[in-house]
Amino acid sequence: MIIHRPADSRGRIVAPFMDTRRTFSFPSYYDSRYMNFSDLQTINDDRVKYKWQVPWHEHKNMEILGYIVNGPATHTDSLGNTQDVPSGAVQFMSSGKSIWHTEGNNTDKPIRYLQLWIKPNVDNTEPHWEYQTFDRVLNTF
């Protein structure tokens, strides 16, 4: 079943460093009408304020895909990765048994990224992070 849920009807969380819209119940937002969809745990639309970092935090056993709408987003993690991820790139973080990280904004204007969190079918794997850039090309058929 497809449920149309406009952005302004989603759960909104405002913190000193971020303004986010959450499609499903997720930390800091609960709505029993909108729980996860099978293994899809959340869809977040995050806007990080300029010169701010999301606090250092841990993930376990979650596959996290992120699309950088307006960037760059600065990613730093416990695996030793530090990278400015540009607009149009997709990040993939397999948190496995444990990964600590922060995402941030080192620019002088807000950035925006979308996240999908998917529950893996195998737990406690080795953590991994990477990103891939794509050209923004309009294809017409």
Side-chain angles (χ1 to χ4, degrees):
M1 171 192 320
I2 296 174
I3 298 171
H4 180 70
R5 189 151 189 225
D8 62 357
S9 74
R10 296 177 187 156
R12 183 175 184 197
I13 308 298
V14 178
F17 56 89
M18 181 186 291
D19 186 350
T20 186
R21 299 280 197 281
R22 297 189 169 165
T23 302
F24 303 124
S25 290
F26 196 70
S28 303
Y29 167 66
Y30 178 79
D31 187 328
S32 62
R33 297 171 300 164
Y34 302 107
M35 303 304 285
N36 58 308
F37 183 78
S38 185
D39 289 335
L40 179 60
Q41 300 296 295
T42 193
I43 302 171
N44 293 343
D45 184 349
D46 298 329
R47 291 158 177 84
V48 180
K49 297 177 183 177
Y50 60 93
K51 302 292 183 192
W52 275 92
Q53 296 286 118
V54 174
W56 190 254
H57 60 284
E58 182 183 30
H59 293 290
K60 291 183 178 181
N61 297 315
M62 195 62 60
E63 308 294 331
I64 303 171
L65 295 161
Y67 175 72
I68 311 302
V69 179
N70 296 321
T74 302
H75 171 92
T76 302
D77 65 41
S78 57
L79 302 177
N81 298 302
T82 297
Q83 184 71 45
D84 284 336
V85 183
S87 297
V90 174
Q91 297 186 80
F92 172 64
M93 185 166 60
S94 182
S95 61
K97 61 186 176 184
S98 175
I99 189 170
W100 286 79
H101 83 114
T102 181
E103 301 289 335
N105 180 358
N106 292 325
T107 72
D108 59 357
K109 48 189 162 175
I111 63 170
R112 180 180 177 206
Y113 53 86
L114 308 174
Q115 291 188 52
L116 286 91
W117 291 37
I118 302 166
K119 190 173 184 171
N121 59 1
V122 176
D123 286 344
N124 298 319
T125 60
E126 288 301 313
H128 175 78
W129 176 84
E130 65 181 287
Y131 79 98
Q132 177 67 50
T133 58
F134 299 91
D135 290 331
R136 292 184 176 184
V137 177
L138 177 62
N139 291 318
T140 57
F141 296 92

